[in-house]
Amino acid sequence: NAGVTQTPKFRVLKTGQSMTLLCAQDMNHEYMYWYRQDPGMGLRLIHYSVGEGTTAKGEVPDGYNVSRLKKQNFLLGLESAAPSQTSVYFCASSSTNRTGRTDTQYFGPGTRLTVL
Amino acid sequence: SQQGEEDPQALSIQEGENATMNCSYKTSINNLQWYRQNSGRGLVHLILIRSNEREKHSGRLRVTLDTSKKSSSLLITASRAADTASYFCATDAGGNNRLAFGKGNQVVVIP
């Protein structure tokens, strides 16, 4: 099992450029999440998905879009990158929790994005 | 919004010593989790404690939860250089298995 993988690992963009970050998981998890991590800020949730074909906004969704066309993949898009989006991006997944209680999340290795 | 808040922010100890870090939160929770992040890597789940539990052990880790004070502590006993990492607490946040993470504790274990 590869767990959660992310591509690319590093990327440098110019302001206004677009890009897509790919997250893939092979654990058959229903839930997937995109976070950004900035120094001194911890992790903040950007968007998440509770199943194939569904997405929802998190804490800091502005400037990002997501898609979950396949259960194993969760894509994060930046349509017009801004320097404020310079960050480390983490994807995570977790299994369905029918009791309503939160469960463990499994994280990818991260993508370090710099926007000049 | 950030739910968990860890205290202290940075800790430097000698190998073999114990490391304790605390986390406070604001609202009622179902459970609280602790994660570790090595430099440049993703987060790794360490331990989960449910709201009806007061203490939980996993190897050299001991977690306590005081729901009346809305706080938790993570104790690492007999620390090793490999324990050098950032440690985050996380609480449930609004359903759908979402988590709210604290800002993290950086722990440095000196060999």
Side-chain angles (χ1 to χ4, degrees):
Chain A
N1 274 356
V4 180
T5 58
Q6 293 182 231
T7 53
K9 288 184 169 52
F10 302 94
R11 186 72 186 268
V12 178
L13 291 178
K14 294 181 180 177
T15 297
Q17 288 185 319
S18 63
M19 78 162 294
T20 300
L21 283 67
L22 171 63
C23 175
Q25 52 94 6
D26 60 2
M27 296 173 283
N28 201 34
H29 285 167
E30 290 289 336
Y31 296 169
M32 296 187 75
Y33 313 84
W34 274 108
Y35 295 91
R36 61 178 288 172
Q37 184 177 32
D38 302 293
M41 296 291 290
L43 275 78
R44 292 183 291 172
L45 182 64
I46 305 171
H47 285 280
Y48 66 100
S49 168
V50 300
E52 182 179 320
T54 72
T55 62
K57 294 180 180 179
E59 183 186 354
V60 288
D62 293 342
Y64 305 95
N65 57 75
V66 287
S67 64
R68 184 100 181 266
L69 298 180
K70 293 182 179 180
K71 185 178 183 179
Q72 63 268 34
N73 296 336
F74 195 29
L75 278 63
L76 177 71
L78 286 73
E79 290 186 348
S80 180
S84 60
Q85 294 177 304
T86 293
S87 188
V88 181
Y89 292 86
F90 288 99
C91 176
S93 70
S94 68
S95 59
T96 307
N97 193 319
R98 302 189 190 281
T99 67
R101 293 181 171 182
T102 48
D103 207 340
T104 303
Q105 291 189 11
Y106 296 84
F107 282 80
T111 295
R112 188 172 294 274
L113 175 67
T114 302
V115 183
L116 302 175
Chain B
S1 61
Q2 294 289 328
Q3 168 78 312
E5 291 286 342
E6 292 90 349
D7 174 50
Q9 298 289 311
L11 184 64
S12 183
I13 57 174
Q14 295 288 330
E15 201 167 30
E17 293 180 339
N18 296 342
T20 301
M21 57 208 89
N22 300 307
C23 167
S24 60
Y25 55 91
K26 297 185 174 76
T27 61
S28 298
I29 60 171
N30 289 317
N31 61 52
L32 185 143
Q33 304 181 40
W34 285 91
Y35 288 79
R36 184 187 73 226
Q37 183 181 34
N38 291 94
S39 180
R41 310 292 287 272
L43 277 71
V44 174
H45 180 259
L46 293 176
I47 195 165
L48 180 153
I49 185 165
R50 302 208 182 276
S51 58
N52 60 354
E53 297 175 313
R54 291 296 166 259
E55 187 171 312
K56 200 162 184 180
H57 296 254
S58 177
R60 293 182 297 109
L61 305 179
R62 182 172 79 99
V63 170
T64 62
L65 180 65
D66 187 334
T67 53
S68 67
K69 295 181 179 178
K70 292 188 169 57
S71 67
S72 173
S73 68
L74 171 66
L75 167 68
I76 305 173
T77 60
S79 63
R80 304 168 181 168
D83 295 327
T84 294
S86 292
Y87 293 84
F88 295 85
C89 70
T91 56
D92 44 345
N96 291 320
N97 215 36
R98 285 176 288 172
L99 294 175
F101 285 86
K103 294 187 172 69
N105 260 300
Q106 187 173 1
V107 175
V108 175
V109 181
I110 303 167

